[in-house]
Amino acid sequence: MGVIERKEREREEMRQRIMNAARHLFLEQGFEKTSIRGIAEAIEYSPATIYLYYKDKNELLFALHEEAFLKMMAELSKVAAVKDPFERLIEMGNQYIKYALENPELYDLMFIMTAPMETLACRDEIWEDGMKSFCLLQAVVGQCVEAGYFEHDLDIETASLTIWSYMHGLVTIYLKNRMNMFGDDKQVERMSASYTLFIEMIRKGLKE
Amino acid sequence: MGVIERKEREREEMRQRIMNAARHLFLEQGFEKTSIRGIAEAIEYSPATIYLYYKDKNELLFALHEEAFLKMMAELSKVAAVKDPFERLIEMGNQYIKYALENPELYDLMFIMTAPMETLACRDEIWEDGMKSFCLLQAVVGQCVEAGYFEHDLDIETASLTIWSYMHGLVTIYLKNRMNMFGDDKQVERMSASYTLFIEMIRKGLKE
DNA sequence: CAAATATACTGAACAGTGTTTAGTGAAAAC
DNA sequence: GTTTTCACTAAACACTGTTCAGTATATTTG
């Protein structure tokens, strides 16, 4: 009897329906204004039903957070097409900035909000999505070492953390409106100028 | 008749009483768990009273945000004692990291939360506190140029933004628990290692 | 096929949130 | 002494995440 298989399938469909509504509302009106009740209304079910499919709001956010990582990893992986390792690193940074600016809410979910991380904490699991994308960066940094762009005894993990820190800092300063202290509309230009300087800094600063 | 003077004084006292309670609860139990009702209870007044002294919660957060900047600026200004400009820059970074790790909630308020910034936006004012502390950094970077540590035609604003981005990125990755992806308890060591590398990067990467 | 069981779902409630408003009691002004 | 002003509050409004008893339907069992 395929009844339990069908039930399992129906369950997965419902989870998808909830996720679709959540993603939609989340991207449309931001996290702060998206409520369980709102999601419930969108799928025409009672708010309580959502709790039959997701433990709490954090788990729902965590699921969205995972989706967002798949999306970003897909974007970042495209840089494999760039032959030269250092050029590849530069392009990876560009893609990272592009993703952050085009998906500010998702970026928040992935790297700033603590709520989705609590789901991880209470299951005491490690943050695999973060680690996977960090490994993508580490790989390219490693290739830059191999190609002789960076000194051969460079600590790849430390260097990658340093590069990521810079990238993350730059985009969050912008996304969290801290760059409007300059009082003009040249914020994106400032980011570009900074990124260009940073590239020169690592080119000169990490070489043999 | 000194009655209006007394009233003004009493008003300021009340504002201080509210701020003290807000600061206390905020630092004790974090932003998320601090409510207007909680603050009201702490000062033994009705929640509605708070709205006679502060427009809304954002304005209260903004006032705390200003306090936090005064505190940080005091810490950062201490580096003036360091004679050598480049050593001064290094020490400024250390102080910045120290402040962030010792005051995570305040750091959030100052550089991550958008709520206090909305008070600025609806008054359409500029973010002066941010600009002032950025100028502190710019000054030291400028002194590094003068002392010959950095190339003479360096764009000081861009270089400062780049340095701040790195510092901000590093501490927020840590504060927002994204460094537990490494799955060990060497998070602070990793930060130190990264900061050391970054210093060498700017020493070599920005020099003449 | 009928009775018993399992399952999916919901209405209503709980305990909280920020904020507004009508109304009260005391102090200040006349 | 009367009127006005002003600080203050109780209560309500419109929300929030979450839980739980109860129901209606689908499935399994006798």
Side-chain angles (χ1 to χ4, degrees):
Chain A
M1 56 188 81
V3 65
I4 59 162
E5 285 88 344
R6 196 203 63 212
K7 289 251 166 131
E8 184 53 44
R9 201 176 58 235
E10 281 174 350
R11 190 177 164 77
E12 205 46 54
E13 278 169 18
M14 185 60 137
R15 278 179 71 97
Q16 266 307 315
R17 226 171 299 153
I18 294 168
M19 277 288 284
N20 290 343
R23 193 188 318 109
H24 192 89
L25 290 174
F26 190 72
L27 294 178
E28 200 179 64
Q29 55 186 15
F31 163 70
E32 293 219 323
K33 286 179 179 170
T34 302
S35 64
I36 297 285
R37 281 177 170 82
I39 297 165
E41 198 171 342
I43 59 169
E44 294 175 296
Y45 278 84
S46 148
T49 302
I50 291 172
Y51 289 87
L52 301 173
Y53 296 88
Y54 291 94
K55 189 180 144 280
D56 55 21
K57 202 185 178 182
N58 287 348
E59 203 169 279
L60 199 56
L61 289 175
F62 182 72
L64 282 168
H65 147 285
E66 279 184 308
E67 266 195 8
F69 263 98
L70 285 178
K71 192 176 167 182
M72 189 186 74
M73 301 267 281
E75 305 280 318
L76 292 187
S77 298
K78 290 194 299 187
V79 302
V82 181
K83 282 285 173 301
D84 181 69
F86 194 72
E87 289 296 320
R88 188 152 65 243
L89 183 63
I90 293 170
E91 185 53 22
M92 202 167 183
N94 278 321
Q95 289 296 323
Y96 189 89
I97 294 172
K98 186 161 173 276
Y99 181 86
L101 301 209
E102 283 175 359
N103 310 280
E105 300 287 347
L106 293 183
Y107 191 87
D108 205 330
L109 203 53
M110 294 163 81
F111 298 115
I112 303 171
M113 285 174 63
T114 51
M117 300 305 272
E118 266 154 47
T119 291
L120 231 50
C122 78
R123 292 186 198 160
D124 51 33
E125 284 175 24
I126 221 73
W127 188 40
E128 271 185 41
D129 300 284
M131 198 62 218
K132 266 188 207 164
S133 35
F134 187 70
C135 284
L136 244 68
L137 173 59
Q138 273 187 310
V140 180
V141 172
Q143 287 146 19
C144 285
V145 173
E146 281 171 42
Y149 281 103
F150 298 158
E151 51 185 281
H152 75 281
D153 62 343
L154 179 71
D155 182 340
I156 290 167
E157 189 186 279
T158 302
S160 302
L161 177 61
T162 305
I163 293 169
W164 179 33
S165 292
Y166 164 74
M167 303 298 311
H168 175 63
L170 186 71
V171 299
T172 52
I173 285 171
Y174 174 78
L175 291 177
K176 296 297 181 179
N177 298 116
R178 261 60 179 187
M179 258 172 79
N180 64 13
M181 70 174 175
F182 293 114
D184 55 28
D185 51 356
K186 297 206 181 78
Q187 303 186 13
V188 179
E189 286 94 319
R190 277 175 223 273
M191 288 181 78
S192 291
S194 170
Y195 185 50
T196 304
L197 179 65
F198 184 73
I199 290 163
E200 286 315 304
M201 259 173 61
I202 60 175
R203 194 203 296 275
K204 288 201 257 170
L206 296 179
K207 76 157 167 255
E208 203 83 42
Chain B
M1 55 187 83
V3 67
I4 59 162
E5 284 88 343
R6 195 203 65 211
K7 289 247 167 133
E8 185 53 43
R9 200 176 58 237
E10 281 174 349
R11 189 177 165 76
E12 205 46 53
E13 278 169 18
M14 185 60 136
R15 277 178 72 96
Q16 266 306 316
R17 226 171 298 154
I18 293 168
M19 278 289 284
N20 290 343
R23 193 186 320 107
H24 193 90
L25 290 174
F26 191 73
L27 294 178
E28 200 179 64
Q29 55 186 17
F31 164 68
E32 293 219 322
K33 286 180 179 170
T34 302
S35 64
I36 298 285
R37 281 176 169 83
I39 297 165
E41 197 171 342
I43 59 170
E44 294 176 296
Y45 277 84
S46 148
T49 301
I50 291 172
Y51 289 87
L52 300 172
Y53 296 88
Y54 291 93
K55 187 181 146 282
D56 55 21
K57 202 185 178 183
N58 287 349
E59 204 169 278
L60 198 56
L61 289 174
F62 183 73
L64 282 168
H65 147 286
E66 279 183 309
E67 265 195 9
F69 263 98
L70 285 178
K71 192 176 167 183
M72 189 187 74
M73 301 266 283
E75 305 281 317
L76 292 187
S77 298
K78 289 194 300 189
V79 303
V82 181
K83 283 286 174 301
D84 181 69
F86 194 72
E87 289 296 322
R88 188 151 67 242
L89 183 63
I90 293 171
E91 185 53 21
M92 203 167 183
N94 277 321
Q95 289 296 321
Y96 189 89
I97 294 172
K98 187 161 173 276
Y99 181 87
L101 300 209
E102 283 176 0
N103 310 280
E105 300 286 347
L106 293 182
Y107 191 86
D108 205 330
L109 202 54
M110 294 163 81
F111 298 115
I112 303 170
M113 286 174 62
T114 51
M117 300 304 273
E118 266 153 48
T119 291
L120 273 173
C122 78
R123 292 187 199 160
D124 50 34
E125 284 174 24
I126 221 74
W127 189 40
E128 270 186 42
D129 300 284
M131 198 62 218
K132 266 188 206 162
S133 36
F134 187 70
C135 284
L136 244 68
L137 173 60
Q138 273 185 312
V140 179
V141 172
Q143 287 146 19
C144 285
V145 173
E146 280 171 43
Y149 282 104
F150 299 157
E151 52 186 280
H152 76 282
D153 61 344
L154 180 71
D155 182 340
I156 290 167
E157 188 186 280
T158 302
S160 301
L161 177 60
T162 304
I163 293 169
W164 179 33
S165 291
Y166 165 73
M167 302 299 311
H168 175 62
L170 186 71
V171 299
T172 51
I173 285 171
Y174 174 78
L175 290 177
K176 295 297 180 178
N177 298 116
R178 261 62 179 186
M179 257 170 81
N180 65 12
M181 70 173 176
F182 293 115
D184 55 26
D185 51 356
K186 298 207 181 78
Q187 304 187 11
V188 179
E189 286 94 318
R190 277 175 223 273
M191 287 181 78
S192 292
S194 171
Y195 186 50
T196 303
L197 179 65
F198 184 73
I199 289 163
E200 286 316 303
M201 259 172 61
I202 59 175
R203 194 203 296 275
K204 289 201 255 169
L206 296 180
K207 76 157 166 254
E208 203 81 43

